[in-house]
Amino acid sequence: MEEEGNQIIFILFSGAFLAALMATFVVSMVILHRQRQVHNKQKMDQIKAEYEKTILNIENEIQQDTLKHIGRELHDNIGQLLSLSKLYLASSKPEKQAEGRQLINQIITEVRGLSKTLNLDWVESISLEEFISQQLDKIKSTGFCEVVFNREDENWELDKDQKLVLIRVIQECLNNAIKHASPNLIKILMEKQEGERAIRISDDGIGFDTSLSSQGSGMTNLRKRMETIGGNFQITSSPGQGTDIILSLPI
């Protein structure tokens, strides 16, 4: 009888121990799950903050470039037109006064055009294809080098932030080619591959060693910017072999 009592006590004690162990395990899993939720939330908040910071920086950079462009236009173009129109309107000859009035109309048109670039509404009004074509046309018009632009007929559907980042990254890639590569040809290809869109920017310039720290920091910045919109940045280059850059974005 005493032995049976000891067995019952042992069974009860074992059951209580197992129940406590199970409860401890469940509580530990709940705490671990909660910690993971908090960590994931913090990580998502950090990614969101970095994304918003990147977009803001890019908007500020483009606005600064726009203001510099407007400053040059006001000084070199509109300022000259105003001086000419002042001279013509001060003339006693009717034909000169008529030319002065025509210049005033031209100035009004130029100022209206500049006013549209003071904000970023132009980003929504222009397609990425049109932007790339304009940039390459500007390079070609200077006589710096030849350009080639190949693209599919279908326009890419991008939201404003994606287009903003791509515009800035493409600008930086072209600026780097102009400043450092000394190319005879700059070529851009827009294509759709399996599950993604890709923009390939190539030049036949002097190339460079991508492992050098002086080049690495700039490339890292461009890579991070692409990552903020879920894209990738790949670069291949070596001295004397030109540079090939691929910007890819999932569809």
Side-chain angles (χ1 to χ4, degrees):
M1 190 71 178
E2 183 179 353
E3 184 178 351
E4 290 180 358
N6 291 335
Q7 289 179 347
I8 292 173
I9 293 174
F10 176 77
I11 292 172
L12 292 175
F13 178 79
S14 299
F17 176 77
L18 289 173
L21 186 63
M22 182 63 69
T24 301
F25 175 77
V26 171
V27 170
S28 299
M29 291 302 296
V30 170
I31 293 174
L32 180 61
H33 178 68
R34 180 57 180 169
Q35 289 176 340
R36 287 179 177 175
Q37 283 184 321
V38 172
H39 176 72
N40 289 338
K41 185 177 184 303
Q42 291 174 343
K43 187 176 181 180
M44 290 301 298
D45 290 342
Q46 181 181 0
I47 293 174
K48 182 180 178 181
E50 291 177 354
Y51 171 78
E52 292 175 348
K53 181 180 178 181
T54 298
I55 297 299
L56 180 61
N57 287 340
I58 291 175
E59 288 180 345
N60 289 335
E61 289 172 2
I62 292 180
Q63 286 174 342
Q64 289 298 319
D65 288 346
T66 299
L67 290 174
K68 290 178 181 177
H69 168 69
I70 290 174
R72 289 193 298 267
E73 286 294 307
L74 288 174
H75 181 269
D76 300 336
N77 183 25
I78 295 178
Q80 183 181 10
L81 291 175
L82 285 171
S83 298
L84 287 174
S85 62
K86 180 180 178 181
L87 291 175
Y88 287 155
L89 292 173
S91 174
S92 59
K93 297 180 180 180
E95 62 272 17
K96 293 295 183 182
Q97 293 178 358
E99 289 183 27
R101 287 191 291 270
Q102 290 178 354
L103 284 175
I104 293 296
N105 290 331
Q106 183 180 347
I107 291 169
I108 292 172
T109 301
E110 295 281 349
V111 171
R112 284 176 177 172
L114 287 175
S115 67
K116 292 180 181 179
T117 63
L118 285 173
N119 52 48
L120 294 177
D121 290 343
W122 63 269
V123 173
E124 296 179 349
S125 65
I126 190 173
S127 69
L128 189 63
E129 293 86 348
E130 291 171 333
F131 170 78
I132 293 173
S133 182
Q134 289 178 4
Q135 294 298 303
L136 292 179
D137 286 345
K138 289 179 182 178
I139 294 173
K140 185 176 181 179
S141 66
T142 64
F144 178 78
C145 70
E146 292 297 317
V147 300
V148 172
F149 183 29
N150 294 323
R151 64 192 184 280
E152 297 177 346
D153 293 334
E154 182 182 356
N155 289 337
W156 290 9
E157 294 183 2
L158 302 166
D159 61 40
K160 180 181 176 180
D161 290 345
Q162 288 178 321
K163 195 189 301 183
L164 197 63
V165 171
L166 286 172
I167 282 174
R168 195 56 182 171
V169 171
I170 292 169
Q171 280 182 325
E172 286 298 312
C173 291
L174 292 176
N175 287 339
N176 287 337
I178 292 171
K179 291 179 181 178
H180 308 296
S182 301
N184 294 314
L185 175 67
I186 295 177
K187 182 166 61 176
I188 295 182
L189 170 64
M190 293 181 67
E191 61 181 349
K192 287 184 178 179
Q193 301 173 346
E194 294 183 2
E196 66 179 14
R197 303 181 181 98
I199 301 173
R200 183 186 295 271
I201 306 171
S202 306
D203 69 67
D204 61 353
I206 61 176
F208 64 95
D209 186 350
T210 57
S211 65
L212 296 178
S213 59
S214 60
Q215 299 291 345
S217 58
M219 297 302 104
T220 299
N221 183 43
L222 295 178
R223 184 174 291 107
K224 287 182 178 179
R225 291 189 168 188
M226 287 299 299
E227 289 174 353
T228 62
I229 57 173
N232 290 306
F233 177 94
Q234 296 177 317
I235 182 168
T236 304
S237 184
S238 58
Q241 299 298 317
T243 301
D244 190 47
I245 296 172
I246 299 178
L247 312 176
S248 58
L249 194 65
I251 298 177

